[in-house]
Amino acid sequence: MAKLIVIIGTTRNQGGSVAEAFLADKKWRLRIISRTPLKPPHENGPPAALLASSLSDPAVRAEAGKRGISPEERCAEIGIQCGKNLALAARTPDVQKTLERYVYSSLGNHSKLSGGRYIQTWHCDSKAAVERYGRDDPVLGPRSSFIRFGL
């Protein structure tokens, strides 16, 4: 029986190329989770387009303003919560029965790596926070791999 792989976010180059590779290998069954599953990849625009649409979301901007933070920081908080939710779902007993490997595409914590020189690298730092959360999880951590592509 073919193994199952679930790929989250396949509307861009990185996730799309991973999906294509596994589709070509008949040893794998593929499930895809996407924010906009019915939209062709080219209609989603460049990677910055999703960030821009979140940043222009009135609810995101209003929440950020109420709390005295930037919309970019609010988007990072949302990204961290989404990443933690995925990790929590992956560590449930039902998923653990069949999970062989949890792979997360991460980025380095640029605020920390720069010694505090660059402190508003919300996207990178939020991805690093999700990675740290997964690594530290006693159930999910040992079954996880974290990939960092150059930025």
Side-chain angles (χ1 to χ4, degrees), residues 46-67:
L50 285 180
L51 177 60
S53 68
S54 295
L55 289 173
S56 63
D57 182 330
V60 170
R61 296 185 82 69
E63 173 68 18
K66 266 191 238 174
R67 295 182 39 219

Side-chain angles (χ1 to χ4, degrees), residues 3-4 8 10 19-20 46 48-49 59 62 75 104 121 130-131 142-143 145:
K3 293 181 181 182
L4 173 66
I8 299 166
T10 59
E20 286 177 14
C75 288
Y104 180 76
T121 56
V130 173
E131 176 183 339
R143 297 174 105 169
S145 294

Side-chain angles (χ1 to χ4, degrees), residues 7-132:
I7 302 172
I8 299 166
T10 59
T11 57
R12 305 263 184 271
N13 291 336
Q14 184 178 332
S17 64
V18 171
E20 286 177 14
F22 281 97
L23 277 171
D25 186 340
K26 299 305 175 197
K27 294 182 284 188
W28 293 92
R29 292 180 302 130
L30 184 61
R31 289 211 183 125
I32 294 171
I33 298 173
S34 178
R35 192 182 317 215
T36 51
L38 299 178
K39 246 186 195 181
H42 66 280
E43 288 184 20
N44 284 311
L50 285 180
L51 177 60
S53 68
S54 295
L55 289 173
S56 63
D57 182 330
V60 170
R61 296 185 82 69
E63 173 68 18
K66 266 191 238 174
R67 295 182 39 219
I69 63 174
S70 70
E72 292 86 356
E73 186 174 4
R74 179 63 189 128
C75 288
E77 291 174 345
I78 293 166
I80 290 170
Q81 189 58 59
C82 289
K84 286 181 176 181
N85 290 348
L86 290 169
L88 287 169
R91 76 177 312 276
T92 61
D94 283 345
V95 172
Q96 286 292 304
K97 288 177 192 172
T98 58
L99 180 72
E100 291 189 42
R101 201 92 201 127
Y102 182 80
V103 181
Y104 180 76
S105 176
S106 187
L107 293 168
N109 182 326
H110 290 194
S111 295
K112 184 177 177 182
L113 292 170
S114 70
R117 184 172 177 198
Y118 304 109
I119 57 170
Q120 295 182 351
T121 56
W122 305 115
H123 179 69
C124 298
D125 295 355
S126 65
K127 297 278 277 181
V130 173
E131 176 183 339
R132 190 170 44 257

